[in-house]
Amino acid sequence: HRKLSLESGVIRQRLPGALLREGVSWQIMDRAGAIAGASAWVRVHVNGRLLGVYTRVEQIDKSYLRRRVGEDEGFLYKFDPTNPDGVHRRLTREGEPDPYLAALCWQPFDSLCARPADPLQALKDHLEIHQLITIGAVNTLLGNTDGLLEAVQNYFFYNTARPRLYFPWDLDLTLLPENSDRHPHSSEVDRLLFEAAPSLRPYFERVLRRLCGDTMSDGNISILLDDIAANVGPAIESDPLNLLDGGFAAELARIRAWLKARTVFLRRVLS
């Protein structure tokens, strides 16, 4: 590891509870089987002074690529339309031509070229479809309106001679009360993908049903949250800067109720 990424509820004052919700969301992303960064809650000290508890998320860089995909010689991008230099923020091999970028230059992946004559075959040739669908399904489960298949930002992708890989990032807009009954096909990105490749929509829904019935079954929700409460609850509760309304136990109860209501809603919609 060469770089630390730390998130705190103090920084995200407009998102009370983000310290806990973001960490829980990363734990769920990992349990869903996506290639995703590790996460934990850590106490941060600077020069002997305690700054409080932060959510640590594994930074996506060349060392991440070596750990997660066994190589780092390809082209890593952060896709972000707010970047003043363009949506493709190149993180590796800067200044070199990327011979793989044009393979997925059409919407919803990019807007540089027209959709190919056979979009599904293009996806099979140039995209790790299961990884994309899994991340998108987890974002949908979490009500994340700011990630892959829900928005056009806050994710990374990696180009090599192998099919393109996408990686999730920035899960602070998850588990929000207003999104507990958000329909699983609400976004324009979702519409564009399944319009181009209709057979992927039932595949996406099968993955989402599996997440609701297995990964995030009521029993597994309880196991996950009870484990978090036992291991990090006291540290977060004792942090005066945690910005959790009513404390750790109250925020964890809201997350538990949200996840159970969300899976009930999705199972009903997808039945």
Side-chain angles (χ1 to χ4, degrees):
H1 296 264
R2 301 182 60 186
K3 189 175 181 180
L4 283 174
S5 177
L6 301 171
E7 294 284 350
S8 171
V10 174
I11 298 171
R12 301 285 188 171
Q13 292 194 35
R14 64 188 179 85
L15 300 170
L19 173 66
L20 191 54
R21 285 187 288 101
E22 183 165 13
V24 169
S25 296
W26 278 108
Q27 299 284 319
I28 293 172
M29 187 70 75
D30 178 65
R31 282 160 172 74
I35 301 173
S39 62
W41 288 273
V42 297
R43 290 190 185 93
V44 178
H45 299 258
V46 176
N47 297 327
R49 174 170 163 259
L50 177 64
L51 296 187
V53 176
Y54 285 68
T55 306
R56 183 197 70 82
V57 180
E58 186 178 359
Q59 182 68 33
I60 299 179
D61 54 17
K62 292 187 73 170
S63 63
Y64 172 97
L65 294 171
R66 290 193 294 271
R67 289 188 300 274
R68 298 292 168 181
V69 300
E71 58 150 285
D72 65 0
E73 296 303 315
F75 300 83
L76 178 66
Y77 296 85
K78 174 91 184 302
F79 195 88
D80 185 355
T82 65
N83 177 24
D85 298 323
V87 295
H88 302 128
R89 183 180 298 175
R90 182 87 67 85
L91 303 177
T92 59
R93 301 182 67 168
E94 295 176 79
E96 296 182 47
D98 178 357
Y100 312 109
L101 189 61
L104 294 172
C105 62
W106 42 281
Q107 291 186 333
F109 306 100
D110 215 326
S111 57
L112 302 177
C113 66
R115 184 187 298 171
D118 189 343
L120 181 60
Q121 189 59 52
L123 296 179
K124 289 178 179 178
D125 291 341
H126 301 293
L127 174 69
E128 175 40 72
I129 293 174
H130 181 70
Q131 169 76 353
L132 177 100
I133 292 294
T134 301
I135 295 171
V138 178
N139 279 333
T140 296
L141 171 63
L142 298 172
N144 181 19
T145 58
D146 195 34
L148 196 62
L149 290 196
E150 288 283 349
V152 291
Q153 60 210 28
N154 283 329
Y155 52 80
F156 291 75
F157 66 86
Y158 181 60
N159 282 344
T160 65
R162 301 187 301 179
R164 178 184 288 183
L165 278 166
Y166 280 84
F167 307 117
W169 190 247
D170 202 4
L171 300 180
D172 57 356
L173 289 176
T174 55
L175 310 176
L176 296 176
E178 61 268 26
N179 291 330
S180 64
D181 58 355
R182 178 178 169 82
H183 193 276
H185 297 296
S186 294
S187 77
E188 177 69 1
V189 180
D190 175 288
R191 184 191 69 78
L192 288 168
L193 177 63
F194 300 135
E195 179 186 84
S199 64
L200 291 184
R201 176 168 171 150
Y203 176 36
F204 169 85
E205 292 180 353
R206 285 197 302 272
V207 173
L208 189 52
R209 280 195 296 269
R210 174 183 65 80
L211 293 176
C212 292
D214 182 4
T215 306
M216 284 290 99
S217 66
D218 284 356
N220 284 335
I221 289 172
S222 294
I223 290 170
L224 170 63
L225 298 185
D226 290 349
D227 183 62
I228 290 171
N231 286 282
V232 302
I236 294 177
E237 180 64 38
S238 64
D239 180 1
L241 300 177
N242 63 40
L243 287 184
L244 301 180
D245 185 15
F248 174 86
E251 185 63 33
L252 195 72
R254 285 191 286 268
I255 291 173
R256 192 187 305 268
W258 192 97
L259 284 169
K260 292 187 175 184
R262 180 65 173 159
T263 56
V264 167
F265 171 79
L266 289 174
R267 285 195 292 266
R268 183 173 70 250
V269 169
L270 298 171
S271 60

